[in-house]
Amino acid sequence: ETGVTQTPRHLVMGMTNKKSLKCEQHLGHNAMYWYKQSAKKPLELMFVYSLEERVENNSVPSRFSPECPNSSHLFLHLHTLQPEDSALYLCASSPRPLPMNTEAFFGQGTRLTVV
Amino acid sequence: DQQVKQNSPSLSVQEGRISILNCDYTNSMFDYFLWYKKYPAEGPTFLISISSIKDKNEDGRFTVFLNKSAKHLSLHIVPSQPGDSAVYFCAASGAGTGFQKLVFGTGTRLLVSP
């Protein structure tokens, strides 16, 4: 396995469901990120973890809850989502978060549809 | 307010010709710029970057130019190949001691026809 792996690739959930997105990186990186890509919008940074501690939270609604149990794994727990939360959720990692003068390596994303 | 703008949502080029993708930014504190390429059903992959101390960086068929006074950068692909057809994202980050996040543009879809 190489790079950044995200599961599931596709997810359809109802507004009352609880689900989790999973991300795993095999690059030995110390920083992991969740991004959201909505149609015709730029990638939006949601959360940043550095060495398993959250260092950035871009005013994301509490219905999105991240978890970083170790430097290789990152989760995004979802509950009571809205249809407008339907988007592509991308996980990324980088060798270091400070400063961000380095490229991030992205997973393939989870295409989330909230019905 | 978008700090990184890619005003052309799409670009069509013939194989063998040059592709020029443009990006403008508004934040003068940005000092590192990157281009990512994204194929359908895949995550973005890093392509090339440039630091603000340079005005040009070249890697094979890909060259990025930076004009700091105009707050403009461009990606040149020459010669263009059908496999270059993808969405290209421009991204920027700033200097400073704190965390500096990547700010992305909306992307330009490049189509290279045989």
Side-chain angles (χ1 to χ4, degrees):
Chain A
E1 290 194 21
T2 59
V4 181
T5 305
Q6 287 185 245
T7 54
R9 294 292 307 279
H10 300 272
L11 178 62
V12 179
M13 60 185 288
M15 289 189 283
T16 59
N17 291 159
K18 286 186 180 181
K19 297 285 184 184
S20 295
L21 309 185
K22 180 183 175 182
C23 177
E24 189 173 355
Q25 58 100 357
H26 307 278
L27 301 168
H29 289 168
N30 290 323
M32 296 186 77
Y33 312 81
W34 280 115
Y35 280 87
K36 174 184 177 183
Q37 186 181 20
S38 303
K40 297 183 181 178
K41 286 188 175 181
L43 273 73
E44 301 171 58
L45 180 65
M46 299 175 73
F47 300 103
V48 181
Y49 277 83
S50 170
L51 297 171
E52 302 144 48
E53 288 192 21
R54 191 189 306 180
V55 297
E56 179 85 356
N57 174 357
N58 262 16
S59 302
V60 179
S62 59
R63 56 185 185 270
F64 295 92
S65 174
E67 178 190 1
C68 188
N70 55 62
S71 60
S72 299
H73 294 86
L74 185 66
F75 295 90
L76 187 62
H77 304 298
L78 316 170
H79 64 97
T80 60
L81 294 193
Q82 305 297 314
E84 58 265 29
D85 296 323
S86 300
L88 180 68
Y89 288 84
L90 290 159
C91 173
S93 71
S94 65
R96 60 193 180 278
L98 299 169
M100 189 56 179
N101 279 2
T102 182
E103 61 266 27
F105 293 78
F106 285 85
Q108 294 172 301
T110 296
R111 174 68 62 186
L112 174 67
T113 303
V114 181
V115 297
Chain B
D1 179 35
Q2 270 187 259
Q3 298 186 67
V4 177
K5 300 177 183 178
Q6 294 177 258
N7 293 317
S8 298
S10 63
L11 175 67
S12 292
V13 172
Q14 278 195 315
E15 181 178 9
R17 306 294 285 268
I18 185 171
S19 295
I20 300 177
L21 297 104
N22 293 304
C23 179
D24 297 292
Y25 61 96
T26 58
N27 189 340
S28 58
M29 298 304 292
F30 286 149
D31 76 337
Y32 193 69
F33 305 89
L34 308 90
W35 284 94
Y36 282 82
K37 173 179 176 180
K38 184 180 183 301
Y39 291 117
E42 293 185 16
T45 55
F46 170 74
L47 192 58
I48 192 169
S49 63
I50 188 167
S51 166
S52 60
I53 61 174
K54 295 185 174 181
D55 56 15
K56 177 183 175 181
N57 189 26
E58 190 172 353
D59 183 2
R61 296 185 297 113
F62 302 90
T63 303
V64 56
F65 294 92
L66 176 62
N67 183 334
K68 285 192 68 179
S69 61
K71 295 192 181 68
H72 176 84
L73 65 155
S74 60
L75 174 68
H76 293 212
I77 306 173
V78 56
S80 300
Q81 299 174 355
D84 296 327
S85 298
V87 177
Y88 289 79
F89 293 97
C90 171
S93 70
T97 55
F99 169 72
Q100 302 295 327
K101 65 181 181 181
L102 274 180
V103 181
F104 284 86
T106 51
T108 296
R109 184 177 301 277
L110 174 65
L111 177 63
V112 181
S113 53

